[in-house]
Amino acid sequence: MSAREPQGVAAEASGWIDALPQAVLLSEQGLVTRLNAAATRLWGVAQERAQGRPVLEVVRRHTLEALLERGGELELEASGRTLRCTATRTGVSGALIVEDITEHRRREAELREATAVLSHEFRTPVAALRGVLEALEYDMPADLAQNFVRQGLQETERLARLVEDLAVGFRPTRARTLPLSEAFARAERLLRPELGARHAELTFGQDHLVRADPDKLLQVLLNLVENALKYGPAAQPIRVQTEARGHWVEVRVLDLGEPISDTESLFRAHTRGQHATGQGSGMGLYIVRSIVHGWGGQAWAERQGGANAFCFTLPGVAGLG
């Protein structure tokens, strides 16, 4: 074997460890013997400066020094990142491997949020269907039974739409050009039983051509009008106003409820208004803002005159309105 062969093997090993996305620190008797490229970026210390120095001087965290001494695994937060740290020991030699799992944790949080969203969205139609089926167990006039059947079909339509939404992250958006009046008509049809129960009148403003996923737009409208029905006074009008603003169309849902002191907090996950009663997960307005941000718009709430206005924007298309 020539003298160059061991050097070539060492260079190959060095290239391999530098190619790893994880930060790797090797030590012996508490002193650093090797940092790979990811480790030099993580701790900001070049291999030449780190070699031969105590581990603590390089990693600058007693928790990592202790982990390397005993071996094991832990997670820590550093500069807004989540790091998974694994250490192994063999005699006086040790290896510390640090992996950035920030994106993994973010996806886990999104999954938990999606579960909460689905729980919120499925609760209302499932409860309505249960009530319809319980009512149909009893003898009643045919016209009344037919009315319950219609309500059940409406809630089934909502459930079918929600099931379709389960695949929204796995397919392209189904955005198309449509008149707002189309979405308004669908929303009014689905909300008719709730409007009747609250003796509330729902009116819509001027029509505009917009570009959006029709089901997502419907979901936003349903959430906002249901929110107005839930928190506004009974037998009071709910107005849906529209206005063109350049290349965007602004939609406002107004109710005559009590003034809201902190409107911004209502759009956070699991947050409910101070006048909220009964059960609720506080996800409705969070869902609205998430959908609206998805098509590049904005969603907010403000006080206009004597009414609460829940507003959102969506891309407009010239030619109508």
Side-chain angles (χ1 to χ4, degrees):
M1 180 180 294
S2 69
R4 292 185 177 181
E5 287 178 329
Q7 295 178 357
V9 172
E12 184 178 344
S14 178
W16 174 80
I17 197 172
D18 282 333
L20 290 173
Q22 299 90 350
V24 178
L25 179 151
L26 305 180
S27 69
E28 191 166 344
Q29 296 182 332
L31 302 178
V32 175
T33 59
R34 179 75 167 88
L35 292 182
N36 73 344
T40 63
R41 292 192 296 269
L42 175 63
W43 289 303
V45 181
Q47 162 67 15
E48 295 77 14
R49 291 188 58 198
Q51 189 170 7
R53 297 176 66 181
V55 169
L56 182 59
E57 291 186 14
V58 175
V59 301
R60 298 186 294 277
R61 282 179 180 267
H62 287 286
T63 52
L64 292 181
E65 181 191 35
L67 179 68
L68 188 55
E69 289 177 353
R70 69 175 183 270
E73 183 176 311
L74 62 80
E75 286 187 15
L76 59 84
E77 300 291 328
S79 302
R81 312 297 292 177
T82 303
L83 305 177
R84 177 186 289 141
C85 309
T86 306
T88 60
R89 285 199 66 83
T90 305
V92 296
S93 300
L96 177 64
I97 302 172
V98 180
E99 180 181 7
D100 188 337
I101 59 170
T102 307
E103 186 67 15
H104 177 71
R105 289 289 178 258
R106 184 187 66 80
R107 289 174 181 171
E108 285 185 341
E110 287 181 349
L111 180 60
R112 289 193 296 270
E113 209 64 73
T115 302
V117 168
L118 289 174
S119 173
H120 174 273
E121 288 299 296
F122 274 93
R123 183 180 293 114
T124 300
V126 167
L129 280 173
R130 182 186 293 117
V132 167
L133 293 174
E134 288 174 349
L136 290 174
E137 285 186 314
Y138 300 95
D139 291 331
M140 62 182 70
D143 57 341
L144 184 58
Q146 187 61 36
N147 182 55
F148 277 112
V149 169
R150 281 195 298 270
Q151 291 182 40
L153 289 174
Q154 288 173 342
E155 297 302 334
T156 301
E157 181 180 338
R158 290 187 65 186
L159 281 173
R161 191 179 71 252
L162 288 170
V163 171
E164 280 292 313
D165 286 344
L166 286 173
V168 70
F170 305 97
R171 58 171 168 78
T173 181
R174 295 178 294 182
R176 63 177 176 85
T177 299
L178 72 154
L180 272 175
S181 58
E182 177 183 315
F184 291 162
R186 291 179 67 192
E188 185 175 30
R189 185 175 68 253
L190 290 169
L191 291 164
R192 195 169 294 144
E194 293 178 63
L195 291 166
R198 297 280 292 180
H199 305 289
E201 180 185 4
L202 178 63
T203 60
F204 297 97
Q206 189 176 17
D207 199 6
H208 296 269
L209 278 178
V210 296
R211 182 78 180 175
D213 183 318
D215 288 337
K216 288 299 182 185
L217 175 56
L218 177 64
Q219 191 173 354
V220 169
L221 288 170
L222 289 175
N223 275 353
L224 291 182
V225 176
E226 286 175 340
N227 190 68
L229 285 169
K230 186 183 299 183
Y231 299 117
Q236 293 292 326
I238 297 173
R239 293 171 290 151
V240 180
Q241 298 177 344
T242 64
E243 183 177 355
R245 294 189 177 277
H247 297 293
W248 296 84
V249 173
E250 181 180 319
V251 180
R252 298 183 292 271
V253 178
L254 295 94
D255 67 76
L256 300 177
E258 293 292 325
I260 302 170
S261 58
D262 183 7
T263 57
E264 181 61 26
S265 66
L266 294 179
F267 289 90
R268 299 175 189 148
H270 308 296
T271 301
R272 306 183 70 202
Q274 60 180 344
H275 302 296
T277 58
Q279 294 182 344
S281 65
M283 293 296 293
L285 293 178
Y286 173 81
I287 294 168
V288 166
R289 178 168 281 180
S290 297
I291 293 174
V292 172
H293 282 182
W295 62 52
Q298 299 294 319
W300 70 97
E302 60 189 21
R303 190 72 177 176
Q304 292 188 2
N308 294 317
F310 289 84
C311 317
F312 67 94
T313 58
L314 68 166
V317 179
L320 181 67

